[in-house]
Amino acid sequence: METPVARGTVDRCGCHRYMADMNDSVDTLPILVVPDPILKARAKPVTEGDLERVRDLVPRMFQTMYRAPGIGLAAPQVGVGLRFAIVDLQPDDTRAPIVLINPEVVNRSEELATREEGCLSLPGQYADVTRPARVMVRYMDVEGAKRQIEAEGLLAACLQHEIDHLDGILFVDHLSALKRNMILRRLAKELRQKRAEAM
Ligand code: NI
Protein backbone atom coordinates (compact mmCIF):
# COMPACT_ATOMS: atom_id res chain seq x y z
CA MET A 1 0.00 0.00 0.00
CA GLU A 2 1.32 3.41 -0.93
CA THR A 3 0.70 5.93 1.83
CA PRO A 4 3.33 8.26 3.24
CA VAL A 5 1.97 8.95 6.73
CA ALA A 6 1.64 6.10 9.18
CA ARG A 7 0.58 5.66 12.77
CA GLY A 8 -0.70 2.68 14.73
CA THR A 9 0.07 -0.07 17.14
CA VAL A 10 2.20 -2.74 15.62
CA ASP A 11 2.90 -6.22 16.85
CA ARG A 12 6.66 -6.59 16.53
CA CYS A 13 7.70 -10.03 15.44
CA GLY A 14 10.63 -12.23 14.57
CA CYS A 15 11.22 -10.58 11.23
CA HIS A 16 13.61 -8.13 12.93
CA ARG A 17 16.17 -10.90 12.76
CA TYR A 18 15.84 -11.00 8.99
CA MET A 19 16.11 -7.25 8.84
CA ALA A 20 19.27 -7.03 10.93
CA ASP A 21 21.66 -7.60 8.06
CA MET A 22 19.69 -5.47 5.62
CA ASN A 23 21.64 -2.60 4.19
CA ASP A 24 22.10 -0.96 0.82
CA SER A 25 23.62 -4.14 -0.58
CA VAL A 26 20.20 -5.85 -0.51
CA ASP A 27 18.74 -5.78 -4.01
CA THR A 28 15.32 -4.37 -4.72
CA LEU A 29 12.79 -6.21 -6.87
CA PRO A 30 10.79 -4.79 -9.77
CA ILE A 31 7.22 -3.94 -8.72
CA LEU A 32 4.54 -5.11 -11.17
CA VAL A 33 2.13 -2.44 -12.31
CA VAL A 34 -1.50 -2.77 -13.48
CA PRO A 35 -2.55 -4.37 -15.85
CA ASP A 36 -0.05 -7.20 -15.20
CA PRO A 37 -2.15 -10.42 -15.05
CA ILE A 38 -0.20 -11.71 -12.00
CA LEU A 39 -1.87 -8.95 -9.97
CA LYS A 40 -5.30 -10.39 -10.80
CA ALA A 41 -4.44 -14.02 -9.96
CA ARG A 42 -5.15 -15.84 -6.70
CA ALA A 43 -1.88 -16.67 -4.92
CA LYS A 44 -1.13 -20.17 -3.59
CA PRO A 45 -0.79 -20.95 0.14
CA VAL A 46 2.80 -20.99 1.42
CA THR A 47 3.83 -24.54 2.34
CA GLU A 48 6.72 -25.73 4.54
CA GLY A 49 8.74 -26.24 1.36
CA ASP A 50 8.26 -22.60 0.31
CA LEU A 51 9.55 -21.10 3.57
CA GLU A 52 13.16 -20.89 2.49
CA ARG A 53 12.18 -19.01 -0.67
CA VAL A 54 9.95 -16.71 1.40
CA ARG A 55 12.80 -15.97 3.84
CA ASP A 56 15.06 -15.20 0.90
CA LEU A 57 12.54 -12.82 -0.66
CA VAL A 58 11.50 -10.98 2.52
CA PRO A 59 14.58 -8.72 2.96
CA ARG A 60 14.45 -7.77 -0.73
CA MET A 61 10.75 -7.05 -0.47
CA PHE A 62 11.35 -4.78 2.56
CA GLN A 63 14.16 -3.00 0.70
CA THR A 64 11.81 -2.56 -2.29
CA MET A 65 8.96 -1.28 -0.11
CA TYR A 66 11.07 1.18 1.91
CA ARG A 67 12.65 2.56 -1.25
CA ALA A 68 9.32 2.97 -3.07
CA PRO A 69 8.27 4.22 -0.44
CA GLY A 70 5.30 2.23 0.76
CA ILE A 71 3.84 0.70 3.92
CA GLY A 72 2.79 -2.67 2.52
CA LEU A 73 3.81 -5.02 -0.28
CA ALA A 74 2.30 -8.37 -1.24
CA ALA A 75 4.26 -11.15 -2.95
CA PRO A 76 2.22 -11.04 -6.20
CA GLN A 77 3.34 -7.41 -6.61
CA VAL A 78 6.89 -8.68 -7.12
CA GLY A 79 5.71 -11.51 -9.37
CA VAL A 80 5.56 -14.24 -6.71
CA GLY A 81 2.27 -16.15 -6.60
CA LEU A 82 2.46 -17.12 -2.92
CA ARG A 83 0.24 -15.99 -0.05
CA PHE A 84 2.51 -13.69 1.92
CA ALA A 85 2.90 -9.97 2.36
CA ILE A 86 4.94 -7.48 4.34
CA VAL A 87 3.72 -4.41 6.22
CA ASP A 88 5.52 -1.64 8.06
CA LEU A 89 3.63 1.50 9.08
CA GLN A 90 6.90 2.89 10.49
CA PRO A 91 5.20 4.57 13.48
CA ASP A 92 7.22 7.60 14.66
CA ASP A 93 9.69 6.91 11.84
CA THR A 94 10.92 3.72 13.44
CA ARG A 95 10.80 0.45 11.59
CA ALA A 96 8.22 -2.09 12.75
CA PRO A 97 8.24 -4.78 10.08
CA ILE A 98 5.60 -7.48 9.97
CA VAL A 99 5.74 -10.53 7.68
CA LEU A 100 2.36 -12.15 7.16
CA ILE A 101 2.40 -15.67 5.78
CA ASN A 102 -0.95 -17.22 4.76
CA PRO A 103 -2.82 -14.33 6.44
CA GLU A 104 -6.55 -14.61 6.94
CA VAL A 105 -9.12 -12.14 8.20
CA VAL A 106 -10.91 -14.18 10.86
CA ASN A 107 -13.08 -11.40 12.26
CA ARG A 108 -14.22 -8.04 10.92
CA SER A 109 -16.24 -5.26 12.55
CA GLU A 110 -19.63 -4.27 11.21
CA GLU A 111 -18.52 -0.71 11.58
CA LEU A 112 -16.93 0.60 8.41
CA ALA A 113 -14.20 3.17 7.91
CA THR A 114 -13.22 5.14 4.84
CA ARG A 115 -9.69 6.24 4.14
CA GLU A 116 -7.62 7.20 1.17
CA GLU A 117 -5.59 4.34 -0.28
CA GLY A 118 -2.88 4.08 -2.85
CA CYS A 119 -0.93 1.09 -4.18
CA LEU A 120 2.60 0.62 -5.46
CA SER A 121 1.08 -1.31 -8.39
CA LEU A 122 -1.03 1.73 -9.31
CA PRO A 123 1.62 4.40 -8.81
CA GLY A 124 0.37 7.90 -8.11
CA GLN A 125 -3.31 6.88 -7.94
CA TYR A 126 -5.38 7.40 -4.78
CA ALA A 127 -9.03 6.96 -3.84
CA ASP A 128 -11.23 6.68 -0.76
CA VAL A 129 -11.91 3.04 0.06
CA THR A 130 -14.50 1.82 2.58
CA ARG A 131 -13.72 -1.34 4.55
CA PRO A 132 -14.47 -2.85 7.97
CA ALA A 133 -12.99 -0.49 10.59
CA ARG A 134 -11.43 -3.29 12.68
CA VAL A 135 -10.18 -6.73 11.75
CA MET A 136 -8.59 -9.72 13.40
CA VAL A 137 -5.96 -11.35 11.21
CA ARG A 138 -4.35 -14.75 11.75
CA TYR A 139 -1.08 -15.52 10.04
CA MET A 140 2.23 -17.30 10.36
CA ASP A 141 5.46 -15.36 10.90
CA VAL A 142 8.84 -16.05 9.24
CA GLU A 143 9.79 -18.40 12.07
CA GLY A 144 6.72 -20.48 11.31
CA ALA A 145 4.89 -19.39 14.51
CA LYS A 146 1.13 -18.78 14.46
CA ARG A 147 0.23 -15.19 15.24
CA GLN A 148 -2.77 -12.94 15.45
CA ILE A 149 -3.20 -9.17 15.14
CA GLU A 150 -6.19 -7.10 16.10
CA ALA A 151 -6.02 -3.93 14.08
CA GLU A 152 -7.88 -0.69 13.61
CA GLY A 153 -7.19 2.53 11.76
CA LEU A 154 -4.47 2.57 9.12
CA LEU A 155 -3.16 -0.87 10.08
CA ALA A 156 -6.61 -2.44 9.59
CA ALA A 157 -6.89 -0.89 6.13
CA CYS A 158 -3.34 -1.86 5.21
CA LEU A 159 -3.79 -5.49 6.29
CA GLN A 160 -7.02 -5.81 4.30
CA HIS A 161 -5.41 -4.15 1.28
CA GLU A 162 -2.46 -6.58 1.34
CA ILE A 163 -4.62 -9.67 1.92
CA ASP A 164 -6.78 -8.54 -1.01
CA HIS A 165 -3.65 -8.65 -3.21
CA LEU A 166 -3.31 -12.36 -2.42
CA ASP A 167 -6.78 -12.87 -3.91
CA GLY A 168 -6.05 -10.77 -6.98
CA ILE A 169 -8.09 -7.84 -5.65
CA LEU A 170 -6.86 -4.26 -5.98
CA PHE A 171 -8.13 -1.22 -4.07
CA VAL A 172 -9.82 0.05 -7.24
CA ASP A 173 -11.95 -3.13 -7.25
CA HIS A 174 -13.75 -1.67 -4.20
CA LEU A 175 -14.83 1.39 -6.19
CA SER A 176 -17.66 1.92 -8.67
CA ALA A 177 -16.89 0.85 -12.24
CA LEU A 178 -16.97 4.50 -13.25
CA LYS A 179 -14.39 5.54 -10.66
CA ARG A 180 -12.24 2.46 -11.31
CA ASN A 181 -12.13 3.01 -15.06
CA MET A 182 -11.30 6.66 -14.57
CA ILE A 183 -8.30 5.74 -12.39
CA LEU A 184 -7.14 2.94 -14.71
CA ARG A 185 -7.33 5.21 -17.76
CA ARG A 186 -5.44 7.96 -15.95
CA LEU A 187 -2.75 5.48 -14.85
CA ALA A 188 -2.37 4.09 -18.40
CA LYS A 189 -2.05 7.61 -19.77
CA GLU A 190 0.55 8.61 -17.15
CA LEU A 191 2.57 5.44 -17.81
CA ARG A 192 2.48 6.10 -21.59
CA GLN A 193 3.73 9.64 -21.00
CA LYS A 194 6.49 8.38 -18.72
CA ARG A 195 7.60 5.83 -21.32
CA ALA A 196 7.58 8.45 -24.05
CA GLU A 197 9.71 10.74 -21.89
CA ALA A 198 12.18 7.95 -21.22
CA MET A 199 12.78 7.29 -24.93
NI1 NI B 1 -1.33 -2.48 -3.03
Side-chain angles (χ1 to χ4, degrees):
M1 185 156 136
E2 182 184 357
T3 305
V5 187
R7 229 156 240 291
T9 322
V10 177
D11 171 33
R12 287 171 184 266
C13 72
C15 35
H16 278 280
R17 191 156 71 79
Y18 294 92
M19 302 290 298
D21 58 351
M22 205 187 82
N23 52 50
D24 283 347
S25 68
V26 176
D27 290 333
T28 58
L29 298 159
I31 299 176
L32 302 185
V33 170
V34 170
D36 194 298
I38 295 174
L39 295 169
K40 297 304 290 176
R42 203 179 144 80
K44 291 196 184 78
V46 173
T47 62
E48 200 68 34
D50 296 316
L51 278 178
E52 202 170 320
R53 186 169 173 223
V54 170
R55 288 185 188 128
D56 177 62
L57 282 162
V58 158
R60 285 187 282 160
M61 282 174 64
F62 274 110
Q63 185 84 310
T64 305
M65 183 183 77
Y66 291 136
R67 287 268 177 88
I71 56 168
L73 186 67
Q77 293 181 275
V78 292
V80 178
L82 290 174
R83 299 187 76 80
F84 74 99
I86 59 166
V87 165
D88 190 346
L89 301 189
Q90 298 165 71
D92 306 315
D93 289 326
T94 55
R95 289 192 175 169
I98 308 175
V99 181
L100 304 129
I101 298 172
N102 296 333
E104 240 184 302
V105 177
V106 291
N107 222 328
R108 38 176 74 74
S109 65
E110 274 181 40
E111 189 195 328
L112 302 175
T114 300
R115 70 172 52 236
E116 188 173 67
E117 294 189 19
C119 181
L120 296 173
S121 294
L122 290 103
Q125 312 303 315
Y126 301 89
D128 279 349
V129 178
T130 300
R131 303 176 182 273
R134 291 177 303 282
V135 286
M136 192 189 283
V137 173
R138 274 195 201 132
Y139 65 100
M140 193 171 78
D141 68 17
V142 273
E143 320 273 3
K146 284 184 184 162
R147 285 178 170 269
Q148 187 168 296
I149 308 183
E150 268 186 77
E152 59 179 4
L154 179 61
L155 183 59
C158 190
L159 291 172
Q160 293 175 81
H161 176 118
E162 300 313 327
I163 293 171
D164 269 356
H165 272 300
L166 307 179
D167 291 319
I169 298 166
L170 302 167
F171 80 87
V172 289
D173 294 321
H174 292 278
L175 309 175
S176 69
L178 188 77
K179 197 98 202 272
R180 177 168 56 247
N181 291 332
M182 199 182 78
I183 290 174
L184 295 178
R185 273 198 300 271
R186 186 168 59 209
L187 174 65
K189 189 180 156 197
E190 287 174 11
L191 293 175
R192 269 199 310 275
Q193 281 170 349
K194 225 177 175 180
R195 265 180 234 123
E197 279 165 23
M199 281 202 303

